[in-house]
Amino acid sequence: MYLAELRLINFRNYARLEASFSPGLIVLHGANAQGKTNFLEAVAYLATARSPHASADRELVHFGAREEGLPFAHVEGRVQRADGLHHVRVSVTLGEQEGRRTQKAVVFDGRRLPLLEYIGEVAVIQFLPEDISLIVSSPAVRRRYLDVTICQIDRQYCHDLARYTEALRQRNAALRALQEQGGNPEVAWLWDEPLVRHGSYIIVRRRQIVALLDELVTRVHAELTGGRERLRLLYLPCLELGRRAAHQLSLGLRPTVWGTGRDEPTSLHDVETEFGERLRRARDEELRRGMTLIGPHRDDLRFLVNARDMARFGSRGQQRTAALALRLAEMALIAEKKQDAPLLLLDDIMSELDAHRRAYVGRALEQYEQAFLTTGDLDLLPPSLRAQARLVRVEEGRLVWER
Amino acid sequence: MSAPEGALPTSVARLIEELSKLPGIGPKTASRLTFYLLRAPDEQVNALAEAVRALKLGLVECERCCHIAESSPCAICRDEGREQSVVCVVEDPLDVVAIERTGAYRGLYHVLHGAISPVEGILPQDLRIAQLIARLDREPIREVILATNPSLEGETTATYIVRQIGDRPIRVTRLARGLPMGGDLEYADEMTLIRALEGRSEVQ
């Protein structure tokens, strides 16, 4: 798919913007703080109704908007998909006064949709400078990565995730109250049923998707490193993360952890049974600690290069390469699942890569349906890529087409 | 958005402030309502004031079904023409109104006054669940229809009630979930469709 038109009103430093785009590579360059990243953020926001950078939607609204009496931001676009041209508008409206809720609305092809019904209509892959945190940061970052990726291809997952999160919140609140004030623990165990039902689907889906990503990432990574290194991606579910898995990881054996082999099918029913069982066994401990200790909210991913854990033993360069390979794998996964190429957004990633990896990324982009790439330095682009790219200079919230 | 001191007479400022405490009403709507009332005929303003004042006077909770009423037992519970062996359990008084509006239900009700939600500090003992169980042991009830909302909290509350009913010889049913009438299949959200498929029924 490709973005054919984009219209911004009061988004970040773009007071007004209207632009049309053709397929192919579009390179946005220019000095810092002119709006290159904000532009990519707007496209990401159009596709996901979530900002990769802002912690609250209100931050997205142009600072002058309130004085103008228009306390809202609009991101509107037309996206050409394999099945035709679609129109999307995402708008954020600030509350009348401090403390009032910021409202967000998504209108897709003329119909207002709940967020959960919209996710996945426009697929996007974002390469961000901070992607290395996928490897080295906390498990929560990796779970979020998995969730965002799977939500784009499976709406059922989105629903189950929302329900699971809600059930978990209720169960934790009940456990905390029991820890502080005592009472009948039945009030906590009541949430086991929805927790297990929605959580099991999450576990099964994560397991399948990680297995697919693992295959793709191994291939991409081998090409990036000239075949010298072998990257594996492992799913470490909280369930079944028993002594066996930890033991094998520490010995550096070829991992056969639950969730890697695709030849051991696990039915939803088996996971539900196991999940319910583990929850029942954890009850005393949960009452003591006042929180839910079992479930996919404690899952993690592991990146192994030649069987060594990247988070702990990888060099900075290896970690960066692993993160890049993961994004490229994600790109292939989503294109295959959706039977349509997702939009690519690459935020200033060339400066972090050596010439060999830049050339590889360049080749991947040359064949790609549409990609937006920002850079502070055009010389970092491989010459053949630069030759076919459309160049846009970004200047104080305006786009200047150069070619 | 409150007016500067002295810009408005105290009585006007006070009404704006009180109205803006209501759900769904911001300071702008509150000001608009206030100035509307200022220009409205005296009778209308007095009728509103009287209605607000009388709202909580003489209002009781029915000792049997916990619905809000002017006297206890409430009009529905006093109606001997109603089916006395069926109880429909709902979260809020407005749910009773919704079901009554259909005219299709002739049994009794039980109002829980909420759903279990530890996040909001609402536990089973804060709801009228014990009263429901006591009713089941006292009255000749043969069927309980669980009509809590199809939300996570509503479902969980229903589960809790099922467990409390235990092995009493009572038929327990749940409202069907599915497609709204007059809806277009194409536009139904996926969850609704999945639920409707799960709850499909035999065609006679």
Side-chain angles (χ1 to χ4, degrees):
Chain A
M1 60 186 73
Y2 69 90
L3 179 68
E5 281 171 39
L6 184 71
R7 198 165 150 238
L8 304 179
I9 300 178
N10 292 337
F11 188 91
R12 294 279 197 187
N13 70 330
Y14 291 91
R16 295 285 184 282
L17 176 79
E18 270 182 60
S20 316
F21 305 97
S22 44
L25 175 68
I26 295 141
V27 171
L28 301 123
H29 69 107
N32 285 332
Q34 301 298 305
K36 298 193 296 289
T37 296
N38 293 351
F39 178 88
L40 296 190
E41 185 184 24
V43 179
Y45 198 72
L46 184 75
T48 62
R50 281 230 175 84
S51 161
H53 305 298
S55 52
D57 286 320
R58 56 182 314 115
E59 295 169 23
L60 302 174
V61 181
H62 190 284
F63 56 86
R66 203 184 281 273
E67 278 99 90
E68 252 187 81
L70 300 170
F72 63 86
H74 270 262
V75 182
E76 196 175 344
R78 284 183 202 282
V79 177
Q80 181 71 49
R81 292 198 316 208
D83 67 350
L85 191 65
H86 296 271
H87 177 263
V88 194
R89 191 180 71 226
V90 185
S91 51
V92 180
T93 310
L94 298 179
E96 263 177 33
Q97 56 182 162
E98 289 305 313
R100 289 251 159 193
R101 276 183 52 131
T102 304
Q103 290 188 336
K104 175 153 72 178
V106 180
V107 178
F108 182 66
D109 287 342
R111 269 208 315 147
R112 172 139 187 206
L113 289 186
L115 233 52
L116 285 181
E117 300 296 325
Y118 173 65
I119 302 304
E121 292 292 353
V122 178
V124 70
I125 311 283
Q126 307 174 58
F127 293 71
L128 302 168
E130 60 269 28
D131 273 350
I132 196 168
S133 68
L134 291 172
I135 316 289
V136 299
S137 282
S138 67
V141 173
R142 287 182 285 278
R143 283 194 296 270
R144 194 177 137 72
Y145 165 79
L146 273 185
D147 290 342
V148 169
T149 304
I150 305 176
C151 277
Q152 294 212 44
I153 48 185
D154 181 2
R155 193 155 294 155
Q156 181 67 41
Y157 185 89
C158 252
H159 277 285
D160 280 283
L161 185 65
R163 282 297 175 98
Y164 179 82
T165 308
E166 211 186 326
L168 181 66
R169 235 162 54 89
Q170 292 286 12
R171 197 174 185 274
N172 281 340
L175 284 167
R176 216 162 29 245
L178 288 165
Q179 188 192 35
E180 283 162 14
Q181 303 143 30
N184 185 351
E186 179 67 13
V187 98
W189 316 143
L190 266 181
W191 307 94
D192 288 12
E193 196 273 331
L195 201 73
V196 166
R197 181 153 42 95
H198 301 295
S200 296
Y201 185 79
I202 295 175
I203 294 170
V204 168
R205 270 316 244 169
R206 283 183 180 173
R207 193 170 114 87
Q208 291 170 338
I209 296 297
V210 171
L212 290 171
L213 276 173
D214 175 43
E215 273 187 21
L216 292 165
V217 93
T218 301
R219 198 162 65 226
V220 172
H221 190 264
E223 288 167 5
L224 276 173
T225 58
R228 279 190 305 277
E229 293 181 341
R230 183 177 167 80
L231 175 66
R232 294 296 311 270
L233 178 60
L234 297 188
Y235 177 41
L236 302 185
C238 163
L239 278 178
E240 276 282 331
L241 181 59
R243 186 171 289 153
R244 187 178 67 127
H247 172 74
Q248 286 184 340
L249 269 181
S250 64
L251 285 181
L253 295 177
R254 189 166 183 283
T256 53
V257 192
W258 201 63
T260 54
R262 283 211 283 166
D263 47 339
E264 36 161 338
T266 307
S267 74
L268 193 57
H269 180 75
D270 291 343
V271 176
E272 284 178 352
T273 309
E274 173 71 15
F275 194 173
E277 184 52 39
R278 286 284 302 273
L279 270 178
R280 268 186 296 282
R281 274 189 272 142
R283 284 181 172 182
D284 288 344
E285 175 83 11
E286 290 189 327
L287 285 172
R288 202 160 41 243
R289 299 195 30 202
M291 62 166 127
T292 301
L293 298 173
I294 309 290
H297 62 292
R298 293 168 77 95
D299 285 355
D300 199 0
L301 283 176
R302 205 54 101 242
F303 295 83
L304 303 182
V305 166
N306 298 343
R308 291 204 318 168
D309 185 345
M310 272 299 94
R312 282 188 294 164
F313 304 114
S315 72
R316 195 84 181 152
Q318 280 180 314
Q319 291 167 346
R320 208 173 285 291
T321 304
L324 177 67
L326 182 66
R327 287 297 187 198
L328 291 163
E330 179 189 347
M331 187 172 121
L333 173 82
I334 292 192
E336 189 203 302
K337 289 280 173 193
K338 298 203 98 70
Q339 294 292 302
D340 202 350
L343 307 177
L344 290 197
L345 307 174
L346 304 100
D347 192 7
D348 196 23
I349 60 157
M350 290 301 193
S351 59
E352 307 279 3
L353 304 175
D354 62 22
H356 174 69
R357 287 164 178 68
R358 282 205 296 270
Y360 183 88
V361 172
R363 281 195 301 280
L365 294 183
E366 274 173 33
Q367 305 143 22
Y368 209 76
E369 185 166 3
Q370 190 185 45
F372 293 91
L373 181 149
T374 66
T375 183
D377 180 2
L378 283 175
D379 292 337
L380 288 174
L381 299 185
S384 65
L385 191 68
R386 187 172 167 175
Q388 63 163 264
R390 299 213 53 190
L391 298 185
V392 183
R393 196 154 34 85
V394 181
E395 255 180 23
E396 293 176 0
R398 286 180 305 116
L399 304 187
V400 183
W401 292 89
E402 296 183 329
R403 188 176 73 216
Chain B
M1 165 92 195
S2 60
E5 197 80 19
L8 284 172
T10 323
S11 61
V12 176
R14 206 177 122 209
L15 184 59
I16 293 177
E17 199 192 318
E18 288 303 322
L19 286 175
S20 56
K21 288 179 190 164
L22 299 176
I25 297 195
K28 272 187 185 164
T29 311
S31 316
R32 205 160 60 233
L33 292 174
T34 302
F35 282 94
Y36 170 80
L37 288 172
L38 213 51
R39 286 187 285 261
D42 285 0
E43 309 87 79
Q44 191 185 347
V45 176
N46 288 336
L48 176 66
E50 174 56 24
V52 172
R53 207 182 55 80
L55 178 63
K56 295 196 108 174
L57 287 180
L59 210 58
V60 295
E61 195 174 302
C62 173
E63 62 198 353
R64 193 175 175 204
C65 73
C66 307
H67 191 31
I68 47 167
E70 284 158 40
S71 61
S72 175
C74 69
I76 294 175
C77 285
R78 282 200 310 270
D79 182 352
E80 284 171 14
R82 298 186 78 107
E83 182 61 63
Q84 300 290 310
S85 63
V86 187
V87 172
C88 179
V89 179
V90 296
E91 289 182 19
D92 292 307
L94 278 179
D95 300 334
V96 173
V97 178
I99 295 177
E100 279 300 285
R101 212 183 295 130
T102 67
Y105 177 70
R106 293 295 298 156
L108 303 173
Y109 290 95
H110 193 87
V111 182
L112 298 172
H113 293 273
I116 301 172
S117 172
V119 166
E120 295 166 82
I122 303 172
L123 299 178
Q125 60 264 33
D126 301 313
L127 305 172
R128 311 295 188 272
I129 294 174
Q131 287 88 330
L132 172 68
I133 302 302
R135 269 183 90 178
L136 298 183
D137 292 335
R138 204 170 52 225
E139 297 176 29
I141 291 165
R142 287 204 309 272
E143 178 174 356
V144 171
I145 303 171
L146 295 170
T148 49
N149 290 328
S151 62
L152 184 68
E153 291 76 17
E155 300 280 356
T156 303
T157 306
T159 307
Y160 181 80
I161 292 172
V162 170
R163 288 189 197 166
Q164 299 304 304
I165 293 174
D167 53 8
R168 287 176 179 82
I170 292 172
R171 181 170 179 234
V172 183
T173 53
R174 184 94 178 89
L175 284 192
R177 293 166 300 206
L179 297 167
M181 282 301 280
D184 197 328
L185 205 62
E186 183 188 352
Y187 291 133
D189 72 80
E190 292 174 22
M191 265 336 268
T192 309
L193 266 178
I194 290 168
R195 286 282 166 78
L197 270 171
E198 284 171 356
R200 69 188 183 277
S201 55
E202 209 81 47
V203 178
Q204 305 303 315

